[in-house]
Amino acid sequence: MHIGTTLTNYIIETQRNFKGATGEFTGLLNDIAVACKKISDLVNKGDLVDILGSADSENVQGETQKKMDVISNEIFMEALQHNGHVAGLASEEVDDICRMPKDAPRGHYLVLFDPLDGSSNIDVNVSVGTIFSILKASPHPGDPTTEDFLRPGTEQVAAGYCLYGPSTMMVLTTGQGVNMFTLDRHFGEFLLTHENITIPEDTKEFAINASNMRFWEAPVKRYIDECLQGKEGPRGKDFNMRWVASMVAEVHRILTRGGIFMYPMDEKIKAKGQGGKLRLMYEANPMSFIIEQAGGASTTGRERIMDMKPEHIHQRVPVVLGSKNEVDLVTAYHRS
Ligand code: P6P
């Protein structure tokens, strides 16, 4: 595939190699691309249109929704419910799974998504993104059940995100590596700009919300402390730190130049009775698929995220992902 080819052509060409391909998966990925283009257009308009600030509502997570959380969710639902590629949807912004309208044809895929991750950044004009995970729907007749969605990350057939930053980029894996497409607004197409991404196995850059330091478990404290000791310490090199508070931006940086991103379990999260900060089904699993396909690693600190058997749609998990040798070191500290 050549640099500059459109996402549409890329999908058609790669799907041509799949025996028995019906074009449904191609259609689904294009529906997702259309939704992301619409969200990008609104995000880029910002204050020029009345989309910033908070909506007068809370999501299932008990978080105050931004107007763009609600709008992005509606755009995704509208784009995916009517074209016959999807059997069911699960959204960070909606409590229960979403079945297709009665008059809509049933497709063979389940899509789980965070329509606008990092949305707290949107009012301060910092990058945000959409994250999606695609599963094959179970073969039984009728609407999917919640149980049909609760599949380990290893069963994803595709995962991706769209980063609404200085440029809008779609990053996608279908299990054949990771490719990046940049949106050319002049003719509204995502163009292939980076092929077969690989993450450096080592890094000098870590991302963690250091304001939670007093709550960290010992292995995390040990790892970060050693990074902070720099070249005089046991790591023998100086580290830099980044924290954007937008997972999509952090993951994109790591895909681009390496690094480690950590939102680990801590005493504050335990006190809330939660399994972590980030959501397994539509944040951790899709990002883990992408990271692993690019040669990185992704664990909870203790186990591979994609091996986890989900217990509920909005389940939260600790996340340690990025350059393989760094993630392996953090995981080793948790096991020592
Ligand atoms: P904190 C955004 O709300 C998010 O889910 C991730 O995108 C981001 O990495 C994290 O939460 C930021 O959390 O505690 O720093 O605000």
Side-chain angles (χ1 to χ4, degrees):
M1 210 63 63
H2 66 281
I3 294 295
T5 190
T6 65
L7 173 62
T8 305
N9 284 336
Y10 177 84
I11 297 167
I12 290 168
E13 288 309 312
T14 46
Q15 285 308 300
R16 205 189 296 278
N17 305 331
F18 280 80
K19 63 183 183 304
T22 63
E24 187 176 325
F25 186 64
T26 299
L28 170 56
L29 290 178
N30 277 294
D31 292 346
I32 290 172
V34 167
C36 290
K37 284 188 254 186
K38 288 180 178 177
I39 294 170
S40 172
D41 182 55
L42 284 174
V43 166
N44 276 267
K45 286 191 167 80
D47 274 312
L48 297 176
V49 291
D50 181 25
I51 54 131
L52 299 186
S54 295
D56 298 328
S57 54
E58 279 190 354
N59 63 15
V60 62
Q61 329 281 342
E63 298 159 339
T64 301
Q65 290 177 301
K66 296 291 184 187
K67 286 178 189 167
M68 268 309 286
D69 284 323
V70 176
I71 295 167
S72 304
N73 187 61
E74 288 165 356
I75 288 172
F76 238 76
M77 292 286 189
E78 179 56 31
L80 297 184
Q81 280 186 324
H82 301 289
N83 293 344
H85 305 138
V86 171
L89 299 168
S91 167
E92 183 200 37
E93 300 302 331
V94 182
D95 187 8
D96 198 1
I97 61 170
C98 307
R99 296 167 180 84
M100 295 301 100
K102 287 289 171 245
D103 59 347
R106 287 287 173 284
H108 295 93
Y109 294 97
L110 304 178
V111 181
L112 303 94
F113 60 96
D114 181 354
L116 202 66
D117 180 68
S119 57
S120 59
N121 283 315
I122 196 160
D123 294 344
V124 294
N125 201 23
V126 169
S127 300
V128 293
T130 297
I131 309 171
F132 58 90
S133 169
I134 302 177
L135 296 167
K136 282 288 277 181
S138 303
H140 65 69
D143 284 334
T145 64
T146 301
E147 190 58 32
D148 290 336
F149 284 79
L150 299 180
R151 312 239 289 282
T154 48
E155 293 189 26
Q156 294 174 98
V157 293
Y161 62 80
C162 193
L163 175 61
Y164 312 113
S167 62
T168 289
M169 295 186 74
M170 170 79 74
V171 175
L172 179 67
T173 185
T174 59
Q176 318 292 322
V178 177
N179 294 290
M180 297 183 172
F181 302 82
T182 303
L183 180 61
D184 183 326
R185 294 188 188 285
H186 290 301
F187 60 108
E189 282 282 2
F190 283 104
L191 304 182
L192 180 65
T193 46
H194 306 72
E195 205 170 10
N196 292 325
I197 299 294
T198 53
I199 301 172
E201 291 195 337
D202 295 298
T203 184
K204 296 181 179 178
E205 196 162 66
F206 67 86
I208 194 166
N209 182 339
S211 72
N212 295 320
M213 188 178 294
R214 63 190 182 283
F215 303 116
W216 293 342
E217 296 178 317
V220 174
K221 282 181 180 155
R222 174 184 176 188
Y223 174 75
I224 296 297
D225 182 51
E226 289 180 355
C227 290
L228 294 174
Q229 289 180 48
K231 53 179 174 293
E232 292 78 27
R235 302 302 312 279
K237 57 184 177 179
D238 291 338
F239 279 76
N240 197 5
M241 194 194 102
R242 287 285 182 273
W243 190 250
V244 184
S246 179
M247 187 186 195
V248 180
E250 317 274 10
V251 168
H252 193 76
R253 185 187 60 250
I254 288 168
L255 284 170
T256 306
R257 68 187 192 207
I260 183 170
F261 167 84
M262 303 170 74
Y263 215 117
M265 175 53 78
D266 68 29
E267 298 309 321
K268 183 166 71 170
I269 292 170
K270 285 179 192 169
K272 294 178 190 172
Q274 294 177 343
K277 155 82 175 186
L278 303 177
R279 273 62 59 144
L280 173 60
M281 300 308 294
Y282 38 77
E283 290 174 335
N285 264 340
M287 291 309 205
S288 297
F289 191 14
I290 294 166
I291 290 288
E292 289 196 8
Q293 280 288 311
S298 181
T299 77
T300 62
R302 293 178 169 85
E303 62 179 305
R304 183 187 181 213
I305 284 177
M306 290 220 291
D307 287 337
M308 296 180 76
K309 174 65 177 81
E311 291 162 8
H312 60 85
I313 285 286
H314 299 295
Q315 177 176 346
R316 295 170 184 260
V317 292
V319 177
V320 178
L321 61 76
S323 292
K324 185 175 182 330
N325 292 342
E326 290 302 308
V327 174
D328 288 352
L329 182 60
V330 174
T331 306
Y333 285 178
H334 278 81
R335 292 174 178 163
S336 61

